Amino acid sequence: MPQGKVTAVPDDGLTTRQRRRQAVLAVHTGPGKGKSTAAFGMALRAWSAGWPIGVFQFVKSQKWKVGEEAALKALGNAGGAPVTWHKMGEGWSWIQRAGTERDHAAEAAEGWAQIKRDLAAEAYRFYVLDEFTYPIKWGWVDVEDVIETLGGRPGTQHVVITGRDAHPDLVAAADLVTEMTKIKHPMDAGRKGQQGIEW
Amino acid sequence: MPQGKVTAVPDDGLTTRQRRRQAVLAVHTGPGKGKSTAAFGMALRAWSAGWPIGVFQFVKSQKWKVGEEAALKALGNAGGAPVTWHKMGEGWSWIQRAGTERDHAAEAAEGWAQIKRDLAAEAYRFYVLDEFTYPIKWGWVDVEDVIETLGGRPGTQHVVITGRDAHPDLVAAADLVTEMTKIKHPMDAGRKGQQGIEW
């Protein structure tokens, strides 16, 4: 349910209906769990709304997010909105490579270049840029380019960016920013990641 | 990806493998967005793991979580683990009522009684008790009963409880607690809830 009331009506010349249809840039940051998980939860709503979904995973991990990927792909195949899933580190799906050598900075830049093309083409209506805060933080992707591109994106394309340490300029540019804070984690008690919970 | 390292090996006589399969009690609390959304995102992993999922929505809302419900039910129908969705306020699905009068406290207590039966029967392997912090806060459900029941639940049944103002005893009893903090929300800028984003 909505978690707040509108306290001011903006002087932007838009109707409430128009404002309801504005594109949202959301950022999930902070050290706690749930940043990506909540983004994939939002994708459930997007799918239900019939919106094409594009997921871009920016940080290679041992286990990726195989559960979410399998479930969202199953939804994409169940009819309704298609779900497209791209992974850096296994090679972005639009790039065919001969060799196996990897340059993470170059791959991140390629990923961002593809997102820019997709935004310009309005390829999706809901984007998850998973762990995209890190290539920004590491200087592989220019934050000003990100903000300018997102600020000028055409149509109604919602974008959710996840990851710790979101750049302050990105936070300033976002419409919706949530920080996930760890209060308690099973690892504190010596428990490792668990199937179905962590992946 | 796992967001921490095990700093201590508990003296519980369990192997890592056994610990990986322990049941988890997670609480998503705090004033920010994403508490329920992250719980439904976790349900994607549970579905992918083949686990029967039970969702209990405890607070009647105008829009419910129709997007998540439609998507998770579509997954349940797509094969694999079944998804069962119960809503208070429309009348829990296991209760057939003649009249339309409602007693929210009694309904919440009925919901909790059903969850106790389901836990005893190991009806599901992943439970979302959505906005369950509120009936506890309002005294409709006894927190000590909740903690005792969850502490003694048989088998490997994972439970995620969402809602603001989680009771301190519930936080103490949980394995994983994340607080969602609002940094910025579109409503602050006079924007109302948006289709596909808020519901």
Side-chain angles (χ1 to χ4, degrees):
Chain A
M1 55 183 174
Q3 298 184 348
K5 289 197 172 156
V6 169
T7 51
V9 175
D11 184 23
D12 55 12
L14 298 176
T15 64
T16 294
R17 189 180 181 84
Q18 286 171 323
R19 265 182 234 113
R20 271 196 200 280
R21 294 181 171 185
Q22 279 186 294
V24 168
L25 171 59
V27 174
H28 296 173
T29 192
K33 301 279 296 178
K35 297 184 288 292
S36 301
T37 311
F40 295 125
M42 291 174 79
L44 295 178
R45 285 198 286 270
W47 178 84
S48 176
W51 298 348
I53 295 168
V55 178
F56 296 79
Q57 283 194 277
F58 269 90
V59 174
K60 182 174 182 170
S61 98
Q62 225 183 338
K63 303 203 190 284
W64 293 99
K65 276 137 189 172
V66 291
E68 292 88 335
E69 182 180 353
L72 284 175
K73 281 184 172 173
L75 275 179
N77 294 332
V83 177
T84 309
W85 198 286
H86 302 290
K87 291 180 189 177
M88 199 184 96
E90 289 193 347
W92 296 106
S93 51
W94 60 86
I95 296 172
Q96 300 299 326
R97 267 201 198 72
T100 54
E101 280 196 31
R102 291 277 154 71
D103 175 338
H104 292 311
E107 280 195 52
E110 283 168 5
W112 169 239
Q114 180 62 35
I115 292 163
K116 287 175 78 166
R117 290 192 291 271
D118 286 342
L119 286 167
E122 300 188 47
Y124 309 106
R125 197 151 164 201
F126 186 85
Y127 295 71
V128 178
L129 311 190
D130 192 42
E131 315 216 55
F132 189 49
T133 58
Y134 302 106
I136 293 172
K137 181 181 178 181
W138 298 329
W140 298 347
V141 173
D142 178 50
V143 68
E144 292 314 316
D145 184 30
V146 170
I147 290 164
E148 199 181 307
T149 301
L150 291 175
R153 70 194 187 279
T156 308
Q157 300 181 85
H158 303 290
V159 179
V160 184
I161 295 173
T162 76
R164 297 183 184 208
D165 305 325
H167 192 289
D169 294 353
L170 182 63
V171 168
D175 305 297
L176 172 63
V177 182
T178 304
E179 182 171 275
M180 278 67 170
T181 306
K182 182 185 84 166
I183 304 295
K184 190 195 274 190
H185 192 282
M187 288 183 187
D188 299 339
R191 285 165 64 172
K192 294 193 178 183
Q194 285 167 278
Q195 189 216 354
I197 299 297
E198 303 283 343
W199 68 84
Chain B
M1 56 182 174
Q3 299 185 348
K5 289 199 175 156
V6 169
T7 52
V9 175
D11 184 23
D12 55 11
L14 298 176
T15 64
T16 294
R17 189 179 180 85
Q18 286 171 323
R19 264 182 233 111
R20 273 196 198 282
R21 293 180 172 186
Q22 280 186 292
V24 168
L25 171 60
V27 174
H28 296 173
T29 191
K33 302 280 295 179
K35 297 184 289 292
S36 301
T37 310
F40 296 125
M42 291 175 78
L44 295 178
R45 284 199 287 272
W47 178 86
S48 176
W51 298 348
I53 295 167
V55 177
F56 296 79
Q57 282 195 278
F58 269 89
V59 173
K60 182 172 182 171
S61 99
Q62 223 182 339
K63 302 204 189 284
W64 292 100
K65 274 136 192 171
V66 291
E68 292 89 334
E69 182 180 354
L72 284 176
K73 283 185 172 174
L75 275 179
N77 294 333
V83 177
T84 310
W85 198 285
H86 302 288
K87 291 179 189 178
M88 199 184 97
E90 288 194 348
W92 297 106
S93 50
W94 60 87
I95 297 171
Q96 301 299 327
R97 270 205 194 66
T100 54
E101 280 195 31
R102 291 278 153 71
D103 175 340
H104 293 311
E107 280 195 52
E110 283 169 4
W112 170 239
Q114 180 63 34
I115 291 163
K116 288 175 77 166
R117 290 191 292 270
D118 286 341
L119 286 168
E122 301 188 46
Y124 308 107
R125 197 152 164 200
F126 186 85
Y127 295 72
V128 178
L129 311 191
D130 192 43
E131 314 216 53
F132 189 48
T133 59
Y134 301 106
I136 293 173
K137 181 181 177 181
W138 298 329
W140 298 348
V141 173
D142 177 48
V143 69
E144 292 313 317
D145 184 30
V146 170
I147 289 164
E148 199 182 310
T149 301
L150 291 176
R153 72 194 186 278
T156 307
Q157 300 182 84
H158 303 289
V159 179
V160 184
I161 295 174
T162 76
R164 297 183 185 207
D165 306 323
H167 193 288
D169 294 353
L170 183 63
V171 168
D175 304 298
L176 173 62
V177 182
T178 303
E179 181 171 275
M180 277 68 169
T181 307
K182 182 183 86 166
I183 305 292
K184 190 195 272 188
H185 193 282
M187 287 181 186
D188 300 337
R191 286 164 65 172
K192 295 193 178 183
Q194 285 168 279
Q195 188 216 356
I197 299 297
E198 303 283 342
W199 69 86

